[in-house]
Amino acid sequence: MGALSLPTSGLVYVDTQILIYTVERHPVYEPLLRPLWQAVQLGTFAVTSSELALLETLVQPIRNSDRALQRDYEQFLCRSELQLLP
């Protein structure tokens, strides 16, 4: 398993898998993604994703009636550090 190569500035697009691994704290991938979210919190760069990612991440929690996980996704995806684009 390698490490992420992060930019020193700019805009980074993250897809649905990155969001899922982060919110659900995947044991292998979530630790690899920590530097990404730490850099975002420091303002090193901005992160964006698609509004479609919100819908994609909510499929399983809604299907499984997992309100807690649904809330976790909604809170994470509506953070000011993450911009959702149409």
Side-chain angles (χ1 to χ4, degrees), residues 13-14 20 22 26-28 30-31 33 36 38 45 47-49 51 57-58 60 69-72 74 77 81 83:
Y13 180 87
V14 295
I20 291 171
T22 301
H26 189 281
V28 174
E30 192 266 340
L33 295 169
L36 167 77
Q38 289 170 344
F45 51 80
V47 173
T48 188
S49 192
E51 291 174 343
T57 58
L58 292 176
Q60 283 294 73
L69 185 56
Q70 183 179 346
R71 187 173 42 256
D72 290 346
E74 290 169 346
L77 291 167
E81 297 93 14
Q83 180 184 12

Side-chain angles (χ1 to χ4, degrees):
M1 191 71 44
L4 286 178
S5 177
L6 299 172
T8 56
S9 65
L11 184 64
V12 174
Y13 180 87
V14 295
D15 207 357
T16 305
Q17 296 89 334
I18 302 301
L19 302 170
I20 291 171
Y21 295 154
T22 301
V23 172
E24 295 189 21
R25 300 189 187 281
H26 189 281
V28 174
Y29 299 114
E30 192 266 340
L32 293 172
L33 295 169
R34 274 191 212 125
L36 167 77
W37 300 114
Q38 289 170 344
V40 170
Q41 287 181 336
L42 292 173
T44 305
F45 51 80
V47 173
T48 188
S49 192
S50 168
E51 291 174 343
L52 182 58
L54 173 60
L55 298 174
E56 291 174 336
T57 58
L58 292 176
V59 169
Q60 283 294 73
I62 290 171
R63 182 179 292 154
N64 296 333
S65 299
D66 189 340
R67 300 239 185 251
L69 185 56
Q70 183 179 346
R71 187 173 42 256
D72 290 346
Y73 275 115
E74 290 169 346
Q75 288 176 348
F76 185 80
L77 291 167
C78 293
R79 294 169 29 173
S80 61
E81 297 93 14
L82 180 65
Q83 180 184 12
L84 296 178
L85 301 174

